[in-house]
Amino acid sequence: MMVLDRIHPLQARLTLRELPVEAPYGASTQEEVEVLLRSMGFYFDLETTSPPPTPSPHQDRVHIVQEWDRDGSTLRYQATVSHDPAAMQLLDPFAAAALSTYGPRSSPVLTDLRLAIYELCQNILEHGRTVRTHPTIRISLCFDRDSIGGAIEDDCAHFDPLGFPEQDIDEHAARRRRRGYGLTLVRRAVDRIDYTAIPQGNRIEFQKRIPR
Amino acid sequence: MNAHVDSIDTPTFSIRERPSAPGSSTVLQLDGALDADAAPRLSDELERRLLAGQKQLRLDFEAVTFISSAGVGSLIASVGEFRDEGGEIVLEKLAPELRRVFELLDLLDYLTIA
């Protein structure tokens, strides 16, 4: 295979992991890597093959790994950030990935998904600090034909943000409240959301259906 | 009237006053992501202007790229505070993805959107 002659798989993986947030996603080099991995049926496990990212005082980095199911029907993206990020910076690569798969960035599905991820990450960054100064957040997204599924894991103390009842937004507005809208927004932005306490922290899974 | 700043800049969000005709509402041009970092700055600026007697404001969202729940909370509280003083904040040039945030929270009717 011609591509194999030019790029070694290990080199390809490094390219993916070292992609800075600021780099335009879908750059020619990365596309080439994607084609390579897809053509090989390449499958790897981030947890066992990727070292934790090194925090930089000057530049937030997101480490992105993409993997395809062996049948090529499902595309997964996974990102890990290990120091205090602007959670927004995590989202554009995901939005860009979804853009290439499902259409315009401004579609309601992507808007809702982006909101949900941002709010969940922000919640961890705000409330996880009390236990760990720099929580590690791991985000996974899985795209298939009918839905976009996601999981967000952290290594903070067990805390179920979904254990609280949905807020009365009208009352919030009437009382001029500036906070307390986030989890309501998350609940309404996705079609399904579940919380699980895991040994190392917390896991929230969500799913957004793609309208046909 | 108390003095106020004409612009506030942060790495990802800025507020600038746009020149407007005498007697018309002040227009503030917002630029960037109205997220948890930016929301307090917007609240502070709106409060400062309300205290300075500027009760009619228009917020231009054309260059706003994102609104989080913190941004929503900042706007909702400020709108209420302006109304308490007989004023109004009008949101203009809201992109569909920004309007969607308020729609999810059933807040479109609460706001005045031009």
Side-chain angles (χ1 to χ4, degrees):
Chain A
M1 185 182 297
M2 290 295 292
V3 177
L4 283 175
D5 292 335
R6 289 188 284 121
I7 303 178
H8 187 277
L10 286 177
Q11 182 184 350
R13 287 193 301 191
L14 285 173
T15 302
L16 284 170
R17 287 179 188 146
E18 294 179 354
L19 181 70
V21 172
E22 292 76 13
Y25 208 72
S28 58
T29 301
Q30 179 148 336
E31 287 175 350
E32 192 169 5
V33 171
E34 291 179 13
V35 170
L36 166 68
L37 296 177
R38 195 198 303 263
S39 67
M40 294 172 63
F42 197 73
Y43 190 93
F44 52 91
D45 179 2
L46 175 68
E47 299 309 307
T48 57
T49 61
S50 175
T54 303
S56 161
H58 303 298
Q59 182 185 41
D60 288 333
R61 280 176 176 270
V62 56
H63 286 228
I64 301 166
V65 168
Q66 309 166 68
E67 60 185 38
W68 286 262
D69 279 355
R70 289 187 184 280
D71 63 3
S73 63
T74 302
L75 173 62
R76 293 193 180 89
Y77 284 76
Q78 184 161 301
T80 302
V81 60
S82 66
H83 70 303
D84 186 6
M88 278 286 293
Q89 292 188 344
L90 291 170
L91 307 182
D92 283 342
F94 291 120
L99 169 70
S100 65
T101 309
Y102 289 112
R105 180 184 289 249
S106 61
S107 80
V109 169
L110 297 186
T111 298
D112 293 358
L113 192 67
R114 188 181 185 197
L115 273 170
I117 296 171
Y118 176 91
E119 296 295 341
L120 290 169
C121 288
Q122 195 65 41
N123 200 53
I124 295 167
L125 292 172
E126 287 185 10
H127 302 295
R129 286 180 190 276
T130 55
V131 180
R132 297 180 67 93
T133 305
H134 300 306
T136 295
I137 304 172
R138 188 163 50 249
I139 306 171
S140 303
L141 287 180
C142 177
F143 303 87
D144 63 29
R145 294 178 61 86
D146 302 317
S147 67
I148 301 175
I152 296 181
E153 292 182 1
D154 65 57
D155 57 353
C156 302
H158 288 164
F159 174 70
D160 178 7
L162 306 178
F164 296 91
E166 185 167 314
Q167 301 293 304
D168 184 333
I169 297 301
D170 290 339
E171 183 184 349
H172 270 43
R175 293 177 178 271
R176 302 353 181 184
R177 285 184 178 153
R178 297 179 190 279
R179 300 175 61 86
Y181 299 87
L183 288 173
T184 299
L185 198 54
V186 170
R187 283 188 167 104
R188 297 183 182 182
V190 298
D191 295 302
R192 181 183 65 78
I193 185 164
D194 298 301
Y195 168 83
T196 306
I198 55 177
Q200 65 270 33
N202 306 281
R203 176 181 174 88
I204 290 182
E205 292 183 347
F206 54 87
Q207 187 174 38
K208 182 74 176 175
R209 287 193 298 271
I210 299 170
R212 294 297 179 189
Chain B
M1 182 179 293
N2 296 331
H4 64 266
V5 296
D6 289 323
S7 68
I8 295 175
D9 289 317
T10 68
T12 58
F13 186 73
S14 67
I15 306 169
R16 296 185 191 284
E17 182 172 337
R18 200 169 68 196
S20 54
S24 61
S25 302
T26 300
V27 180
L28 298 181
Q29 201 161 0
L30 312 182
D31 190 331
L34 183 47
D35 57 14
D37 290 331
R41 294 179 173 85
L42 178 61
S43 292
D44 289 349
E45 180 63 10
L46 295 178
E47 181 182 11
R48 183 163 32 242
R49 288 180 181 266
L50 180 60
L51 291 173
Q54 294 183 24
K55 296 182 180 179
Q56 304 295 328
L57 282 184
R58 300 179 75 85
L59 302 183
D60 182 342
F61 278 79
E62 186 171 23
V64 174
T65 56
F66 180 75
I67 299 179
S68 73
S69 66
V72 171
S74 171
L75 282 168
I76 293 301
S78 295
V79 165
E81 289 164 0
F82 270 65
R83 288 175 182 166
D84 290 342
E85 300 298 323
E88 186 61 277
I89 295 176
V90 177
L91 281 57
E92 57 184 34
K93 300 180 183 175
L94 269 180
E97 55 268 33
L98 304 184
R99 183 181 290 261
R100 172 69 175 164
V101 182
F102 297 108
E103 180 185 35
L104 282 168
L105 291 170
D106 293 326
L107 286 170
L108 284 175
D109 290 341
Y110 181 80
L111 299 168
T112 303
I113 301 174

